[in-house]
Amino acid sequence: MKLKKLFKKAENFLDSDERSRKEKKKCIKHVLKKLRKYENEINEQIKDESSEESIKHLKKRIALTHAQRRKGMNLLKSLK
């Protein structure tokens, strides 16, 4: 009986890294989806804008969002 409990405790301890990695992956995927949606919304705003300054500002926001998505995707790949 004691041996089974020890094995169970050891298994839970060793699986904690796996569990935390899965939670991080899930969270990163959620954030990436939000960033993609935000980037698409800004692209739609650009189509409606006529001012060059506004378009330039929105393009900077798209570039920043895209860079953050790229970082997130690289982090997601490193977690696999």
Side-chain angles (χ1 to χ4, degrees):
M1 188 80 159
K2 284 188 175 185
L3 190 59
K4 285 184 180 181
K5 283 185 180 180
L6 287 174
F7 280 142
K8 197 169 217 174
K9 283 185 180 183
E11 185 177 305
N12 286 338
F13 179 73
L14 294 174
D15 287 343
S16 65
D17 286 339
E18 177 88 21
R19 198 172 323 120
S20 67
R21 200 172 326 125
K22 283 182 180 180
E23 287 179 26
K24 282 183 183 180
K25 283 174 30 177
K26 183 179 177 182
C27 182
I28 291 172
K29 284 182 181 181
H30 180 72
V31 170
L32 288 174
K33 284 181 184 179
K34 281 189 170 187
L35 284 172
R36 186 178 341 119
K37 183 178 177 183
Y38 181 71
E39 190 173 349
N40 289 336
E41 288 174 2
I42 295 174
N43 279 326
E44 291 298 319
Q45 288 177 2
I46 285 179
K47 291 177 184 177
D48 297 336
E49 283 295 323
S50 59
S51 170
E52 287 297 320
E53 284 186 36
S54 297
I55 291 174
K56 187 176 179 181
H57 177 70
L58 290 173
K59 284 185 178 183
K60 284 183 182 179
R61 288 172 62 185
I62 287 175
L64 179 65
T65 305
H66 192 73
Q68 292 298 320
R69 280 184 58 216
R70 194 175 322 122
K71 283 182 187 179
M73 292 168 102
N74 289 337
L75 181 61
L76 190 64
K77 285 180 184 178
S78 69
L79 287 175
K80 288 185 177 180

